[in-house]
Amino acid sequence: MAQTTLKSRSRQIYKPKLARQVKEKVIEFILFLAAFSSVATTVAILYILIKESFLFFQEVPIVDFLTGTKWTPLFVNPQYGILPLLSGTLMSAGVALAVAIPMGTIAAIYLSEFATKRVREIAKPALELLAAIPTVVYGYFALLYVTPFLQNFFPKLPGFNILAAGLVMGLMIIPFISSISEDAMSAVPVGLREGSYAMGATKLQTALKVVFSAAISGISSSYILGTSRAVGETMIVAIAAGLRPNLTWNPFDQAATITAFIVQVSLGDLPHGTIAYQTIFAAGLTLVLMTLLLNIIGHFLAKTYREIY
Amino acid sequence: MVINNSHEQITSIPKAEVADLDFYYGSFHALKGINMTLPEHSVTALIGPSGCGKTTFLRCFNRMHDLYPGNRYEGSIWLDKDTNILGRKVDPIEVRMRISMVFQRPNPFPKSIYENVAYGLRVRGENNRRLMDEKIEDALRVSALWDEVKDRLNESAYNLSGGQQQRLCIARALVADPEIVLFDEPTSALDPIATASIEELMSTLKDRVTILIVTHSMQQAARISDHTAFMYLGELIEFGRTKDVFNKPLNQQTEDYISGRIG
């Protein structure tokens, strides 16, 4: 008797239920769509950038584009050398990183190793608030406050300059670096810290020699992310560094960045299909390739120095 | 509770003497009135069921509790009769330079094998390469690791097996000539073969240092220690020579524990 009930019940259990299967499939499909949409967007953007740039490079030799020292696409005798925009981008990013990497790292070490729990609970969100300020606000801050302030010390500093834009951009990037680095350092197991203290190490020795080196992979990815932000940042440089392409390695000069140029052209009313219009795709592709390269380096670094505890 | 400690007198010279030690995690009274001597150049084992306070007691010796807020010591631990480790004016860093520690799980730093051992010298500001090479080779030889790693001192310590990593941690703890080495269940994360090699190593170490070891395994305590302290609920119940404590325990609770009735 007992066996027969068991058999009949087991037949019910193993019979597939249509409703359940359909529900599972539908959910799976929705999840797939959500994941696919971001990949599809990336691919579509890359496709358009490459297609339009291809048209551009049929008119302008790629060697001229990469080595030319003049960027004057809107002039009567247009010249398409990306170097002036590249120098503006690299200089402003360089100034920003010179601020953000040391400050962000020091803030992370302080928050993770020295601050009391209460200080950390207040200071960390406050620091992350810096990243929530719209970049256009930073841009006007640089133009209207930082530049005049710097002019007290450097009277010849022009109204638009790389220095002020870079310094303020550095401020904006600090939380990206400090937050990720702090997470990486907090994730270092307590056993490693205690191992260091038990050897007679001080707090500072433990923080720098053990915790920092154990978290180096997370810290280096925060630097890469900060660099990508600096290279891709638009509003601050467009407002405070000027819009004149200028091949210079002097931070006291004004210079347009790739992003600032794209803003300038997008705002103008250029007819579709002209070479001047297509320059923004070539410039955009250059920017994408730069950040892509940075991300690949970051991925490689994270893999090489990945945390093994 | 009557604490019966009247085993045969321990004759060796005391390296450290614990006097009326109480310890609090915040308001939790974790160690209660502990009195004990740590005989020099011998292995002393702390045994007892989980939560009895043996690791807490061990970590008093190198002031590890100072790392976390809210912890409080009362009483004293006299080192060589003249320094109270728990004294208010004593710098925990100075204590840790004389009393080093090996942890439950091997915790090598993310550095090379050489730099792991060198760490104890580097934090003391030592930079003389020849002296460091000498000290490091000596520490690795004593830890029975030298022959396995001498050709790959610059490789990451994470390439070593668990047992090798733990011996590396022992070398790290020995390199700066500590007087006492604390072992916090050093073999609980290791397989039996690695455990055997660490136990063998420990018996050779007592010529150089005084050893205090927390162990979960009574067999291990019986195999390697000269003296054994049994702790229960934050109190030191019984302390004496290992063969006395195991063969003729004076206290009923000790007997219950070593015969497997509690714990």
Side-chain angles (χ1 to χ4, degrees):
Chain A
M1 184 62 208
Q3 265 182 339
T4 48
T5 30
L6 203 65
K7 260 184 193 165
S8 64
R9 205 201 284 159
S10 75
R11 223 177 289 132
Q12 273 179 349
I13 288 171
Y14 292 114
K15 194 176 161 218
K17 290 208 170 60
L18 189 66
R20 184 168 61 203
Q21 280 185 320
V22 170
K23 197 174 139 201
E24 286 286 306
K25 285 284 169 210
V26 168
I27 289 172
E28 196 186 313
F29 184 67
I30 292 171
L31 293 179
F32 169 77
L33 273 189
F36 179 73
S37 62
S38 66
V39 177
T41 315
T42 312
V43 171
I45 290 174
L46 270 179
Y47 170 75
I48 292 170
L49 277 179
I50 290 169
K51 196 188 89 180
E52 297 285 337
S53 302
F54 184 72
L55 296 172
F56 173 80
F57 285 123
Q58 281 182 330
E59 301 288 329
V60 180
I62 197 159
V63 178
D64 291 0
F65 178 73
L66 288 177
T67 59
T69 56
K70 286 233 155 41
W71 180 263
T72 53
L74 307 178
F75 286 16
V76 186
N77 283 324
Q79 284 187 287
Y80 305 99
I82 192 80
L83 284 180
L85 295 184
L86 210 56
S87 79
T89 302
L90 292 179
M91 278 313 290
S92 56
V95 172
L97 293 174
V99 174
I101 287 184
M103 300 262 287
T105 310
I106 291 168
I109 291 174
Y110 172 74
L111 285 177
S112 145
E113 302 302 307
F114 292 91
T116 60
K117 202 172 161 226
R118 180 174 295 187
V119 170
R120 182 165 50 239
E121 274 169 5
I122 297 168
K124 208 186 170 199
L127 198 58
E128 280 164 5
L129 213 60
L130 276 180
I133 299 173
T135 52
V136 66
V137 175
Y138 278 114
Y140 272 100
F141 177 65
L143 181 67
L144 300 178
Y145 290 93
V146 178
T147 296
F149 176 73
L150 290 173
Q151 278 166 339
N152 293 335
F153 306 97
F154 312 105
K156 286 184 180 162
L157 192 71
F160 295 113
N161 61 80
I162 298 173
L163 186 64
L167 288 177
V168 172
M169 190 151 75
L171 277 184
M172 182 202 76
I173 293 169
I174 287 173
F176 291 93
I177 288 175
S178 70
S179 186
I180 295 174
S181 299
E182 200 263 336
D183 288 343
M185 286 168 54
S186 298
V188 172
V190 131
L192 281 185
R193 282 193 188 84
E194 290 195 342
S196 168
Y197 285 123
M199 292 288 92
T202 62
K203 233 174 178 178
L204 188 66
Q205 286 169 329
T206 303
L208 296 182
K209 294 186 183 196
V210 172
V211 180
F212 185 85
S213 61
I216 193 70
S217 124
I219 291 169
S220 55
S221 12
S222 84
Y223 292 171
I224 296 289
L225 180 79
T227 312
S228 297
R229 293 285 315 190
V231 168
E233 174 48 39
T234 308
M235 282 322 285
I236 298 175
V237 284
I239 292 171
L243 294 171
R244 201 183 73 208
N246 183 5
L247 181 53
T248 178
W249 305 106
N250 178 5
F252 294 92
D253 246 341
Q254 68 160 300
T257 63
I258 297 176
T259 51
F261 170 75
I262 294 173
V263 170
Q264 188 193 8
V265 172
S266 321
L267 294 178
D269 42 4
L270 284 166
H272 281 229
T274 61
I275 297 183
Y277 174 77
Q278 273 151 355
T279 53
I280 64 174
F281 293 99
L285 186 66
T286 313
L287 201 58
V288 168
L289 289 180
M290 279 169 76
T291 46
L292 190 69
L293 186 71
L294 284 172
N295 280 329
I296 291 169
I297 293 172
H299 185 73
F300 175 76
L301 279 179
K303 250 181 118 167
T304 318
Y305 301 107
R306 71 186 189 282
E307 286 100 345
I308 328 160
Y309 301 125
Chain B
M1 186 182 303
V2 180
I3 295 181
N4 195 335
N5 258 343
S6 56
H7 275 298
E8 201 178 322
Q9 204 63 40
I10 292 162
T11 44
S12 27
I13 313 153
K15 179 68 196 169
E17 282 167 288
V18 183
D20 298 323
L21 174 68
D22 282 77
F23 179 77
Y24 302 83
Y25 289 111
S27 58
F28 177 64
H29 196 175
L31 297 176
K32 296 163 190 166
I34 292 182
N35 287 286
M36 192 185 117
T37 58
L38 188 62
E40 193 165 29
H41 292 301
S42 66
V43 178
T44 303
L46 294 170
I47 61 169
S50 295
C52 69
K54 51 194 191 301
T55 294
T56 304
F57 182 40
L58 186 84
R59 288 163 69 98
C60 289
F61 280 83
N62 64 346
R63 298 273 299 265
M64 279 311 257
H65 298 300
D66 288 40
L67 296 177
Y68 306 99
N71 297 339
R72 190 159 52 88
Y73 314 88
E74 273 170 25
S76 41
I77 299 177
W78 294 95
L79 190 61
D80 294 333
K81 291 185 188 295
D82 56 8
T83 316
N84 177 13
I85 293 173
L86 304 179
R88 282 190 202 290
K89 286 184 184 157
V90 171
D91 184 351
I93 289 172
E94 293 299 321
V95 172
R96 292 176 199 140
M97 292 197 171
R98 291 175 67 180
I99 302 179
S100 67
M101 185 169 185
V102 175
F103 293 80
Q104 193 168 356
R105 300 187 64 84
N107 58 350
F109 302 134
K111 297 174 186 290
S112 68
I113 294 168
Y114 182 92
E115 281 303 325
N116 258 282
V117 185
Y119 193 76
L121 301 171
R122 291 219 190 270
V123 297
R124 286 162 172 77
E126 185 57 64
N127 276 319
N128 182 337
R129 186 76 189 193
R130 232 187 44 217
L131 184 111
M132 293 218 307
D133 285 351
E134 248 169 54
K135 283 275 192 191
I136 287 164
E137 178 174 342
D138 175 60
L140 285 168
R141 278 191 195 282
V142 176
S143 315
L145 196 59
W146 177 252
D147 291 330
E148 292 160 59
V149 302
K150 63 181 174 201
D151 300 321
R152 47 185 187 137
L153 290 173
N154 292 320
E155 271 182 38
S156 164
Y158 290 135
N159 294 344
L160 299 174
S161 72
Q164 288 175 322
Q165 288 187 5
Q166 193 63 307
R167 275 180 282 152
L168 182 69
C169 292
I170 294 174
R172 186 175 73 186
L174 289 172
V175 74
D177 302 321
E179 294 158 48
I180 303 176
V181 181
L182 311 169
F183 288 84
D184 186 3
E185 298 188 39
T187 60
S188 63
L190 303 180
D191 64 71
I193 292 168
T195 300
S197 78
I198 302 261
E199 286 183 5
E200 196 186 315
L201 166 62
M202 224 171 298
S203 58
T204 66
L205 283 183
K206 60 183 171 183
D207 297 338
R208 291 169 68 118
V209 294
T210 301
I211 292 177
L212 183 61
I213 173 174
V214 165
T215 174
H216 241 98
S217 151
M218 283 176 284
Q219 290 84 347
Q220 184 171 64
R223 278 194 301 267
I224 63 171
S225 71
D226 305 298
H227 303 90
T228 295
F230 170 67
M231 292 180 68
Y232 190 60
L233 299 176
E235 288 179 80
L236 182 71
I237 305 295
E238 186 159 345
F239 176 58
R241 287 198 290 208
T242 299
K243 58 177 199 298
D244 295 338
V245 172
F246 277 88
N247 294 334
K248 35 180 187 186
L250 298 171
N251 190 289
Q252 185 59 41
Q253 281 169 316
T254 315
E255 197 181 333
D256 287 349
Y257 181 71
I258 58 180
S259 60
R261 278 195 287 272
I262 57 168

